[in-house]
Each structure stands twice: as C-alpha cells, then as structure tokens.
Amino acid sequence: CNEAIELLIKSNAIDGIFIPKGQINQGNIMCVKERNIINKDFVDNGKVILASNLVGEIKMILRLIDKVGGKSLVEKVKKAIGFLAE
C-alpha cells in the first residue's frame, strides 16, 4: 500500500489529483475516480508530486531539483548519474 495515496484519501485531498496507475492498490481503487488514474510513472500537479517506480522517482527528484536549483543544475545531475530518460 502506498502511504502517499493513503494520506491523500484519509485527508479528503484526493479529488482533482492525477495518480500514476502503479500507485493504486485494490484496497484504494474505490476511493479514486477512474479518470484520475493515468498510465504514467510520474505526476506533478504543482502541489503534489507522485511517482510509481524507480524511473518515476528519479524524474520526481529531478523536478524538485529544477524547482529549487533550475534547469542547469538538473542537467548537471542527470549527466552525473547517467540518466538519459525524459
């Protein structure tokens, strides 16, 4: 079970948030509108960032670096870790 999804459901904050398909388990599927479940590994709505696998988590971290340090820092980090995916 994903703790981020559990927190959003319990706090009634799940409405309007797109959720990567890999983050939803059978116990939570009834609490999320089907149209909000998308087939991506990473989602950022401006307030909440969710990732569903290792590549998604790397993309999430790079997005945070971009927000804090800018695109040039992101490119340096991507080069340093050998991350080629977009």
Side-chain angles (χ1 to χ4, degrees), residues 21 23 31 45 49 51-52 62 83-84:
K21 190 174 187 176
Q23 287 244 336
C31 299
N45 78 350
I49 303 174
S52 66
L62 291 172
F83 189 71
L84 304 174

Side-chain angles (χ1 to χ4, degrees), residues 19-33:
I19 300 168
K21 190 174 187 176
Q23 287 244 336
I24 300 294
N25 64 28
Q26 290 300 327
N28 294 335
I29 196 77
M30 301 305 284
C31 299
V32 179
K33 295 175 183 168

Side-chain angles (χ1 to χ4, degrees), residues 36-74:
N36 288 23
I37 300 172
I38 59 174
N39 196 20
K40 292 190 176 192
D41 56 4
F42 158 76
V43 176
D44 179 2
N45 78 350
K47 293 183 180 182
V48 177
I49 303 174
L50 299 170
S52 66
N53 55 37
L54 181 59
V55 172
E57 289 180 14
I58 293 170
K59 290 178 180 178
M60 178 179 68
I61 292 166
L62 291 172
R63 179 67 58 95
L64 289 171
I65 292 169
D66 181 32
K67 288 182 177 191
V68 174
K71 293 202 182 296
S72 63
L73 182 57
V74 169

